[in-house]
Amino acid sequence: MSTAKYKFLSNVYFLGTFATIGGMLFGFDISSMSGVVGTERYQTYFNKPSSSLQGGIVASMAAGSFFGALLAGPLGDKISRKRTIMLGATIWIVGSIIQCAAVNVGMLVVGRVVNGVAVGLCSMIVPVYQAEIAPKNIRGRIVSLQQWAITWGILIQYFIQYGCSFIDSEAAFRIPWGVQVVPGIILLSGMTLFPFSPRWLADHGRWEEARQVLANLRAGGNINDPEVQAEFKEIEDAINFERTQAARSYAELFRPPNAKRVFLGMSLQSWSQLTGMNVAMYYIVFIFQGAGITGQNANLQASSIQYVLNVVMTIPAILFIDRWGRRPVLLVGSTLMALWLFLIGGLMGRYGGPTSFDANATTTWAISDNDAASRAVIACSYLFVCSFAISWGPVSWTYPAEIYQLRIRSKAVSLSTASNWAFNFILAYAVPPALENIQYKTYFIFAAFCVAMTIHVFFMFPETKGRTLEEMDELFNSHVPAWKTRSQPDSHLERDIERLKQQHEAQQLQQPPQELDHPSRLPPGEKIELEAEQVGGEKTEL
């Protein structure tokens, strides 16, 4: 790609933000079901699915995403991060068309599985692409945009669903499902112009292309910039060292020293599902019914507030994640989520009772005739969403994308993301029966998970803030306890940049000065004046 063509594509913020349309697809898919599962038209057209069948319909997307995430690992290495995103966008368009045209549950499930494969591909590879193009000091911010895009996808699709809910026909759910092709088309078209990851190019021996892309991203195309030279040298050294290691394979991921990091990435993504956040997004209608919010319009309005909060509260994490660090954000977030979940379960257990709804068989326990308790449950639900949005939402995508060596990064992140989708599938399928059978006790289970993940993060997850991707080996092989890693030295990259600047300055000082006392030694075209006493008492221009 020429420098002139690359000018408007050299901004890391623009590249990282646009790529997150791949994350937005996930958000669209979440709301594509959450906004319709409680509506009369959906329930009537699909013959009022039982709680287990409804769980299967919702979980089918996660099943597709699980396999999509696994495919994204080898695809990301083979055809590039960029082309894998484009493939995901193409598959998404096909799945959305099938879902929109669904005439029965079977066809709906097929469409959701196809969409799921696309979401799995994009949700895995977009954070990797972002991490590999971003400088270390804003890497957390750039990758966090993935979560923000997810929240925007949820919000936009939900309001589309809300507007269409007033249509008295099948179009009430077909229009929202059909409009999902739009972000897929935009993503596919835009990514054709995007640069390849400089680290992927270097890993495939395309060194000059990698150097130029890195220069475009860091220094306006100047390959002699000290920052570009220092970072490129770091990438080059890391790749050359990794090539002395064993051949790449999935088996390598589970051997020391990689096994620990792979387990951390997989567990972090699994914990992010076990917070219960995505379950709250999928089945928000049922949750608010249990809180005593009745009537389709009232429920949809209450749900919309939750989605808006999800978008707004992700912003502080994007802005400050590279200042706060990863560990404090995770620890505070899971602690607060546990508190709100315990309160929701306690309030519903104390003030709720058995009930039934004609529209669905899932909600069997609800608060009734107690406005104060209902408002308290809704408030805790909102606070729970805010706590997730500012903590585990963005960090659960950032951390796995930055902790692995380049040689295993794509495959390792694919396993981490596949773990996310595996638990997403299990929970999406299991929660409707859980809400039907153990009711409010479901919230205590998720609260206990939040306590467990807090303990796990404290003892096992080191701080990665301020380090380049190539320095993660040093961090994880240092044997420093995770809770002490905030005191570790910052990145070596600044010292390398400063050393190169000093070398350039020294080279300039060592150049012999030009002697200007004789015309033959003057630079071409330059004029000086010799003093009068040198040439007969008058100034003579040479």
Side-chain angles (χ1 to χ4, degrees):
M1 184 178 291
S2 68
T3 303
K5 184 179 179 182
Y6 197 86
K7 274 186 177 179
F8 76 101
L9 291 172
S10 61
N11 187 292
V12 172
Y13 282 103
F14 174 76
L15 297 174
T17 301
F18 189 91
T20 58
I21 295 176
M24 189 178 288
L25 304 183
F26 179 22
F28 263 76
D29 198 88
I30 289 176
S31 281
S32 72
M33 290 307 299
S34 64
V36 302
V37 292
T39 62
E40 183 178 348
R41 293 170 193 85
Y42 170 85
Q43 292 285 334
T44 300
Y45 188 86
F46 292 103
N47 300 317
K48 294 186 177 180
S50 64
S51 60
S52 59
L53 179 58
Q54 183 57 57
I57 294 172
V58 174
S60 59
M61 187 277 289
S65 297
F66 173 79
F67 291 106
L70 290 178
L71 287 172
L75 283 174
D77 283 335
K78 187 174 181 61
I79 67 173
S80 80
R81 285 59 160 140
K82 167 184 168 177
R83 292 187 183 121
T84 303
I85 296 173
M86 294 172 64
L87 177 62
T90 304
I91 296 173
W92 172 265
I93 294 169
V94 174
S96 297
I97 293 172
I98 296 173
Q99 194 170 336
C100 176
V103 296
N104 52 43
V105 170
M107 189 171 178
L108 175 60
V109 168
V110 170
R112 287 185 59 75
V113 169
V114 174
N115 269 5
V117 172
V119 170
L121 288 171
C122 290
S123 64
M124 176 264 147
I125 205 66
V126 168
V128 173
Y129 181 79
Q130 292 171 311
E132 291 186 349
I133 65 171
K136 69 174 186 60
N137 58 310
I138 60 169
R139 186 177 63 240
R141 181 179 301 174
I142 295 298
V143 181
S144 294
L145 291 170
Q146 163 88 345
Q147 177 63 22
W148 201 39
I150 293 173
T151 65
W152 272 110
I154 294 172
L155 181 66
I156 293 169
Q157 175 70 308
Y158 190 81
F159 278 120
I160 293 172
Q161 293 272 10
Y162 180 71
C164 293
S165 67
F166 298 100
I167 301 174
D168 191 19
S169 70
E170 298 171 15
F173 54 84
R174 294 198 187 278
I175 291 176
W177 291 346
V179 80
Q180 292 182 130
V181 301
V182 175
I185 293 172
I186 294 173
L187 180 63
L188 177 61
S189 302
M191 287 302 298
T192 59
L193 302 174
F194 274 40
F196 292 99
S197 159
R199 287 171 168 84
W200 181 84
L201 288 169
D203 194 37
H204 283 72
R206 296 160 65 173
W207 295 103
E208 291 309 311
E209 289 180 72
R211 190 195 306 271
Q212 188 59 60
V213 170
L214 191 65
N216 291 336
L217 293 172
R218 302 288 187 268
N222 180 14
I223 61 174
N224 295 317
D225 183 88
E227 180 180 353
V228 174
Q229 291 182 329
E231 188 169 354
F232 185 79
K233 182 65 165 57
E234 194 171 51
I235 294 171
E236 186 177 31
D237 290 344
I239 290 175
N240 289 334
F241 172 75
E242 289 172 9
R243 285 177 176 171
T244 66
Q245 308 300 302
R248 306 179 190 199
S249 67
Y250 274 103
E252 182 183 353
L253 303 181
F254 300 99
R255 291 195 292 261
N258 298 321
K260 176 184 176 181
R261 271 184 272 183
V262 171
F263 174 72
L264 289 180
M266 293 176 66
S267 60
L268 186 70
Q269 287 276 16
S270 301
W271 283 131
S272 73
Q273 287 297 322
L274 292 171
T275 62
M277 177 60 176
N278 280 336
V279 172
M281 296 290 106
Y282 285 135
Y283 300 118
I284 189 170
V285 173
F286 298 156
I287 292 170
F288 280 170
Q289 282 177 348
I293 302 295
T294 57
Q296 177 176 316
N297 195 44
N299 203 314
L300 291 174
Q301 289 177 352
S303 302
S304 67
I305 296 173
Q306 179 158 304
Y307 291 137
V308 170
L309 289 172
N310 194 22
V311 172
V312 172
M313 292 306 296
T314 305
I315 296 174
I318 294 172
L319 295 177
F320 299 112
I321 185 173
D322 289 305
R323 182 181 302 176
W324 294 339
R326 284 46 159 170
R327 276 176 55 83
V329 171
L330 291 173
L331 292 169
V332 172
S334 54
T335 301
L336 290 175
M337 284 187 289
L339 172 63
W340 308 130
L341 288 168
F342 276 125
L343 287 174
I344 292 171
L347 288 166
M348 292 190 69
R350 175 66 178 81
Y351 298 104
T355 188
S356 62
F357 286 86
D358 293 334
N360 70 81
T362 299
T363 307
T364 60
W365 186 279
I367 296 172
S368 59
D369 301 323
N370 192 323
D371 290 341
S374 293
R375 285 194 294 268
V377 169
I378 294 171
C380 288
S381 176
Y382 290 160
L383 290 169
F384 169 79
V385 169
C386 291
S387 300
F388 179 88
I390 204 171
S391 60
W392 280 75
V395 178
S396 64
W397 296 109
T398 302
Y399 201 86
E402 64 185 5
I403 63 175
Y404 302 117
Q405 296 175 330
L406 178 61
R407 61 180 284 102
I408 65 167
R409 185 174 298 136
S410 188
K411 291 184 176 66
V413 176
S414 77
L415 286 182
S416 300
T417 310
S419 302
N420 180 302
W421 291 113
F423 278 91
N424 190 308
F425 172 82
I426 294 169
L427 295 175
Y429 187 81
V431 164
L435 291 173
E436 180 181 356
N437 295 292
I438 63 174
Q439 295 112 9
Y440 65 89
K441 301 181 187 70
T442 304
Y443 299 101
F444 293 142
I445 294 174
F446 286 110
F449 285 143
C450 288
V451 173
M453 68 184 71
T454 302
I455 298 171
H456 187 202
V457 169
F458 181 83
F459 286 106
M460 297 298 296
F461 286 74
E463 179 58 68
T464 59
K465 183 189 76 170
R467 293 173 171 83
T468 65
L469 297 179
E470 285 69 37
E471 290 175 337
M472 293 301 168
D473 277 355
E474 179 184 346
L475 170 65
F476 281 90
N477 295 334
S478 65
H479 304 294
V480 176
W483 59 91
K484 293 183 179 180
T485 49
R486 285 185 61 84
S487 62
Q488 291 297 293
D490 287 335
S491 170
H492 301 299
L493 186 62
E494 287 88 353
R495 293 196 292 273
D496 292 339
I497 294 171
E498 186 61 29
R499 178 177 51 79
L500 285 170
K501 287 180 178 179
Q502 292 174 355
Q503 288 178 354
H504 289 172
E505 293 173 357
Q507 289 172 358
Q508 292 175 354
L509 291 174
Q510 290 171 2
Q511 292 178 356
Q514 292 179 326
E515 297 179 20
L516 303 180
D517 58 344
H518 192 280
S520 64
R521 295 173 182 169
L522 293 177
E526 188 173 335
K527 297 179 179 180
I528 66 168
E529 292 180 344
L530 298 180
E531 293 299 327
E533 62 265 26
Q534 291 179 298
V535 284
E538 292 184 12
K539 292 183 179 180
T540 303
E541 186 174 84
L542 298 175

